[in-house]
Amino acid sequence: MSMATLIRQANVYQPEYAGVKDVLLLGGKIAAIGENLKADFGGCVDVLEIQAEGMAAVPGFIDSHEHILGGGGEGGFHTRTPEASLGDLILNGITTVIGCIGTDGVGRDMAALLAKAHALENEGITTYAYTGSYQIPVQTLTGSLRKDIMMLDKVIGVGEIAISDHRSSQPTFEEFARVAADARVAGMLSGKAGIVNVHLGDSPRKIDLIQRVIHETEIPASQFLPTHVNRNAALFDACLEFAKEGGTIDFTGNEDIDAWEAISDEVRVCKGIRRLLDLGIPSDRFTISSDGQGSLPVFDENGNYQGLGIGKASCLLKEIRECVQTEGIPLEIALKGITSNPASILKLGAKGRLQPGFDADLCLLTADTLALDTVIAKGRCMVLHGKQKVFGTFEAAGA
Ligand code: ZN
């Protein structure tokens, strides 16, 4: 029997606040948002009713940069980080994820990344991928960057191409511009974003390569989504300039920012967003991603490996909470960073908004604490009142 879900009396954020409404989900889509909705299908459809008084109903989160296949290895093979499980994502509200490869494009390749993306899709969420890794020349599946973007459904762009980092392939301006040009044309021809997801390292060269491409070629700022923009104060200043010129910048969330703030000048996400808004930069020019399962290696000033942490997908909702509770940023603005903004720059069609006709990806957050209560992906209830309902193939139910 097919299944409908009726959410009663939620504070609906599309992400714009739309008042207290019922939300009806049917056939994997948002069927209606309104008052006192009826869900009478004459017994032909099972209806799950969820009472959501006081809760916020928000679009399912989009994580635009996650190492679903694991990443890392900067300290040797035993420091390769593990793959993401379905639970790692849905228990943190993520219903759409864009997978990427990082430093190691040899031990992990596009075939494995796409296989992992298909696995998560089979398990119930929506997945996409960037082709390539840190490296130029880009290691593709089909042998051609253009072909990967045009012909592989899940591939929406290229990345994360590393610049300004001792772990990058030290691409020249010409090499970097060519990758952006290929991604742009392939995106155009296939109706995709063809985005270049750029990993920014710590070096004083900051986002110079991106700025040169925008200023010296015909490629616009909107072709790039630079990430880790908040990794240090000087880099963040440069990225704010890029955002002023029409670029979108991607903050990397950090679950352990209290510790990192003490040893670095990493910019706390909520403070960075506050600055962006205070500068009058439009609120659709930022996204927040988790870098989940990615390695967070620590190097000394000579580039010697010191140790390694791991990115956590839980940081997305934590950053939203800090935006609201610490910086007083309205929930509807903060939410854009993990819903409508990534959907729009990545051209994800029916994702990122609570609106009839869009995919039925939705989270319910508790009233005051903004804790995750319920997660629905493509109309299927994955997490109900804090309890995981759908498990990945190798996750133990009830564990
Ligand atoms: Zn990165």
Side-chain angles (χ1 to χ4, degrees):
M1 192 182 281
S2 56
M3 176 87 203
T5 304
L6 184 56
I7 295 158
R8 291 282 188 206
Q9 298 278 305
N11 286 302
V12 172
Y13 289 84
Q14 293 186 294
E16 301 81 19
Y17 183 59
V20 176
K21 297 270 165 65
D22 296 347
V23 181
L24 177 65
L25 312 175
L26 185 65
K29 294 282 177 183
I30 298 168
I33 299 177
E35 278 158 40
N36 302 313
L37 293 182
K38 302 264 186 304
D40 183 2
F41 301 98
C44 301
V45 174
D46 260 346
V47 181
L48 169 69
E49 262 201 50
I50 301 175
Q51 303 300 327
E53 284 88 355
M55 285 201 262
V58 308
F61 305 159
I62 299 170
D63 190 353
S64 64
H65 185 107
E66 159 112 18
H67 297 274
I68 54 176
L69 194 58
E74 284 95 334
F77 290 119
H78 61 288
T79 64
R80 299 169 86 239
T81 61
E83 295 188 6
S85 66
L86 181 69
D88 289 330
L89 301 165
I90 57 175
L91 286 171
N92 294 306
I94 296 163
T95 55
T96 299
V97 68
I98 295 86
C100 60
I101 298 174
T103 322
D104 175 10
V106 173
R108 308 187 195 266
D109 66 10
M110 280 312 291
L113 179 64
L114 286 171
K116 178 65 185 180
H118 280 288
L120 288 168
E121 183 96 36
N122 288 353
E123 290 175 343
I125 62 168
T126 302
T127 60
Y128 299 96
Y130 301 117
T131 186
S133 61
Y134 271 20
Q135 196 194 333
I136 297 179
V138 176
Q139 304 291 308
T140 62
L141 184 69
T142 64
S144 146
L145 168 50
R146 286 193 186 196
K147 234 185 238 178
D148 271 23
I149 293 177
M150 284 180 67
M151 296 305 168
L152 302 174
D153 287 350
K154 288 198 175 298
V155 175
I156 57 169
V158 57
E160 54 172 323
I161 302 292
I163 64 170
S164 305
D165 194 302
H166 62 106
R167 294 168 290 169
S168 80
S169 56
Q170 306 301 337
T172 63
F173 168 73
E174 285 75 17
E175 288 174 327
F176 186 68
R178 172 64 61 87
V179 164
D182 282 349
R184 175 172 178 76
V185 173
M188 242 183 243
L189 294 175
S190 54
K192 295 177 178 177
I195 211 81
V196 187
N197 189 233
V198 182
H199 161 105
L200 299 171
D202 257 326
S203 106
R205 291 193 288 168
K206 298 176 284 201
I207 60 165
D208 294 357
L209 263 185
I210 296 179
Q211 290 288 23
R212 276 192 66 193
V213 173
I214 297 167
H215 295 135
E216 295 177 31
T217 77
E218 297 74 28
I219 296 168
S222 56
Q223 209 62 43
F224 297 95
L225 182 60
T227 187
H228 317 320
V229 299
N230 51 319
R231 76 185 307 144
N232 68 55
L235 176 64
F236 185 58
D237 287 346
C239 291
L240 284 174
E241 290 304 313
F242 172 74
K244 276 189 206 158
E245 293 175 45
T248 300
I249 59 175
D250 184 46
F251 290 88
T252 300
N254 187 345
E255 194 60 71
D256 303 314
I257 186 65
D258 293 339
W260 283 82
E261 261 186 342
I263 55 166
S264 72
D265 62 350
E266 181 169 330
V267 178
R268 193 178 275 264
V269 171
C270 61
K271 290 193 175 136
I273 293 174
R274 165 53 69 203
R275 258 188 78 197
L276 177 144
L277 296 172
D278 286 351
L279 284 168
I281 297 171
S283 62
D284 55 4
R285 299 230 182 116
F286 74 92
T287 60
I288 312 169
S289 65
S290 76
D291 208 9
Q293 306 304 118
S295 64
L296 307 170
V298 182
F299 299 95
D300 67 15
E301 62 276 14
N302 297 316
N304 297 312
Y305 171 80
Q306 302 290 299
L308 173 118
I310 181 163
K312 298 185 186 85
S314 55
C315 66
L316 286 190
L317 183 54
K318 187 222 75 161
E319 303 301 356
I320 298 301
R321 221 179 273 133
E322 282 195 4
C323 281
V324 173
Q325 294 168 355
T326 313
E327 288 296 328
I329 297 166
L331 179 59
E332 58 186 336
I333 300 293
L335 278 172
K336 290 174 84 168
I338 54 171
T339 61
S340 57
N341 288 353
S344 127
I345 187 160
L346 300 174
K347 290 203 167 79
L348 300 184
K351 297 290 181 190
R353 297 189 59 77
L354 292 190
Q355 198 173 302
F358 277 62
D359 287 353
D361 297 337
L362 175 151
C363 297
L364 292 176
L365 308 178
T366 58
D368 301 325
T369 51
L370 296 179
L372 193 68
D373 181 89
T374 292
V375 180
I376 294 169
K378 290 186 276 189
R380 185 173 174 204
C381 188
M382 311 295 281
V383 178
L384 183 64
H385 305 317
K387 288 221 162 51
Q388 188 172 353
K389 290 284 172 194
V390 177
F391 292 83
T393 313
F394 300 104
E395 290 181 294

